[in-house]
Every structure is written in C-alpha cells, then in structure tokens.
Amino acid sequence: PLFVGISGPQGIGKTTITRELVSTLTEAPHNLRVFSFSMDDLYLPFKQQEALSQRYPDNKLIEFRGLPGTHDIALGTRTFQALYESSQPQSTGSVVPVPVYDKALYAGRGDQLPQDQWPRAQGPFDVILFEGWSLGFKSVRDPKRLAEIYASAPKYLSQHSFSSIEMVNHALEEYEREWYTYLDAFVHLSAPNISTVFKWRQEQEEGLWATRGAGMTKDQVKDFVARFMPAYEVYLERLKQENLFKNLQGSDEPASYQGRHLRIDLDEDREM
C-alpha cells in the first residue's frame, strides 16, 4: 500500500482533509481501498503516561500527552506492520485491530480504550493515510546545534530546562526509525505563522460551546496550546524547508534519496 503522512498544526484541518481524501479516493472513478488513522490514537495509556510524568517530575514537556515521547512507539510500529502485511500479495486480507484513544477519560487526561473496543480494519489496502500534528519532526542530531537553538531563547522553549528538550529530542529518534520509514509520501499543511494555532484552536472551542454548551475558556486554550509551542520552535522550520526523507534516520535508502514531500501553505482562513 501507499503510506501517506499528513502533518500540520492543531486546528489547520488535518482531520478534515484526511476524511475528504478517504471519501474521494474510495469513490468512483478511483475506487481505491483506503484506510486512515492518527498519531493521537497512539498516545501512551493513562497509567504509563502517569508513570512517565512521575519518573521525570521536572520535565513539564512530557507531563501530559502531546509531545514526542508520550506515544506508544511499539504499538504504532505493530499497527504499521500489520497494515502492511495485510496488503501483501500472499495475504488473504487479514483483519487489523487499530488502536483508539479517548481524550475525554480521566477528566481530560485521556486513556487508550481496551483492545476489544478497537475497530477492525479489513485488508488489503491501496492507500493508508496517517496524520499527526508533530508528524515529520526530526531530531536535531548535533548536540551543539540543539544547544544553540536553546541559547537563542525562543519564547516558549526558554520556559523549560535544556534537559527537558533533550529528552524530547532523543525520543524523536525512535519516531524516525520506527514510523517515518514506512511512509512513501508526505503532505505538510503549513500555517502562515505559528501564533495562528491559538486563533484556530479558539475557533474550535467556540464551535464546541455553540453546539455542546461546553469547551475550554480562552485562558485554557492558551495554556493548552502553549504546551506544544516548544516543539514547534525547535522542529517546525526544518520541516518547512527540508524534504522529510532526506537522510532519514533508520532508512535503508541512500543518503541522497528523497521521497515525495508536498508543502501546502495556508493563510489564516485556511485557504491555499
């Protein structure tokens, strides 16, 4: 199957475009077998996330789910491999259980649903779409370069210790080795500037208030989005400027290999 990664900051429309791609590609004249899933469904179960937070109480970047280091890497790898194997010529179209994470559990802390509640994906597939806000972020392999970025005192990163971002940076190496190497193509939905994320997230909450009578306040939105900002400050610019597949860690391809990477620049109204 063709594995396609879809990346973009919170609120930019990853879920919407993924849903529309599934609809378009499965209908005539394409009639393809398409499946999609999200990095959000691969977060660590609540108890493991809680244990991680307690093990590193001074690292607020991994205190809650969200940043690299708070996903179940092994579970993601097994899911990728099972989807791949279900689509091979010798396969009879095996059924693949796909993880589901419920963000509403534990008063919003979230938890992974029991496996008997996971949906079953019936292979084989022609296209598999995988989306996530930090998908495509790559580790800064030169320690001196990471130190330089930190020393430049980005607004949000400077509120955390250097050892905290070091831990996140080290965790990213696993994503490159275990997940990114499955991707054949990559689509990056790029915001005009990262502060737009606050605006888009606030719009989403206003929609929830209008339809459900509940949601986060403006201050809660600011606190929520600010948690993700250090990662954007360190990794986003590289993703905007460099082909994801260039020198990808863990890849068997030659260093000169570059897969297909499309960047779509959107304005504040999410128009191209």
Side-chain angles (χ1 to χ4, degrees):
L2 182 75
F3 282 91
V4 183
I6 299 176
S7 177
Q10 291 94 338
I12 201 168
K14 295 184 301 300
T15 302
T16 300
I17 196 172
T18 299
R19 183 170 58 245
E20 291 182 358
L21 278 170
V22 171
S23 176
T24 300
L25 294 173
T26 54
E27 296 172 355
H30 309 292
N31 301 315
L32 296 172
R33 297 161 297 184
V34 185
F35 181 74
S36 68
F37 67 119
S38 172
M39 283 182 73
D40 285 0
D41 287 314
L42 296 173
Y43 284 127
L44 290 168
F46 175 77
K47 290 184 178 179
Q48 290 185 31
Q49 176 60 48
E50 192 174 41
L52 179 68
S53 303
Q54 292 172 354
R55 196 179 315 131
Y56 302 102
D58 297 330
N59 191 341
K60 299 304 178 183
L61 293 177
I62 57 171
E63 182 179 9
F64 303 110
R65 70 171 191 269
L67 269 69
T70 64
H71 293 89
D72 190 332
I73 297 294
L75 175 62
T77 302
R78 290 197 301 272
T79 304
F80 270 112
Q81 186 63 24
L83 289 168
Y84 172 80
E85 290 176 353
S86 73
S87 302
Q88 298 312 298
Q90 69 274 15
S91 172
T92 56
S94 57
V95 175
V96 180
V98 181
V100 174
Y101 189 93
D102 188 339
K103 297 178 182 178
L105 296 177
Y106 289 98
R109 291 290 298 273
D111 196 9
Q112 193 180 96
L113 291 182
Q115 189 166 342
D116 60 9
Q117 296 181 36
W118 295 0
R120 265 56 178 171
Q122 176 71 56
F125 305 100
D126 297 307
V127 180
I128 293 170
L129 306 173
F130 182 58
E131 59 100 350
W133 74 271
S134 63
L135 185 64
F137 287 2
K138 293 166 70 177
S139 60
V140 180
R141 298 184 207 172
D142 183 352
K144 291 183 179 179
R145 177 56 187 152
L146 185 64
E148 288 173 358
I149 295 172
Y150 184 80
S152 68
K155 179 179 178 181
Y156 295 95
L157 180 61
S158 61
Q159 299 172 24
H160 301 270
S161 68
F162 180 65
S163 61
S164 293
I165 192 61
E166 274 188 311
M167 189 177 299
V168 171
N169 190 64
H170 180 68
L172 267 174
E173 296 178 10
E174 270 198 297
Y175 292 72
E176 293 179 56
R177 286 194 304 266
E178 299 294 324
W179 292 2
Y180 295 4
T181 49
Y182 277 95
L183 301 179
D184 302 297
F186 185 77
V187 179
H188 176 211
L189 305 176
S190 181
N193 59 73
I194 204 58
S195 62
T196 313
V197 177
F198 289 95
K199 174 178 179 289
W200 287 338
R201 197 66 183 81
Q202 182 59 44
E203 288 173 353
Q204 287 181 323
E205 291 304 314
E206 289 170 357
L208 289 175
W209 280 106
T211 57
R212 300 184 184 178
M216 289 190 285
T217 66
K218 287 186 177 181
D219 286 340
Q220 287 174 328
V221 169
K222 288 180 181 178
D223 288 341
F224 175 79
V225 175
R227 270 198 273 148
F228 302 91
M229 287 295 137
Y232 285 129
E233 289 176 330
V234 177
Y235 304 109
L236 184 58
E237 191 59 31
R238 181 181 179 186
L239 182 62
K240 290 173 67 174
Q241 302 299 332
E242 180 182 283
N243 187 303
L244 171 72
F245 301 96
K246 180 180 180 181
N247 300 326
L248 183 62
Q249 185 159 304
S251 174
D252 293 329
E253 301 289 350
S256 61
Y257 169 79
Q258 292 197 355
R260 296 173 175 84
H261 179 148
L262 171 68
R263 191 184 86 201
I264 303 176
D265 291 331
L266 304 180
D267 62 21
E268 289 197 6
D269 296 318
R270 302 180 186 84
E271 297 292 338
M272 284 191 290

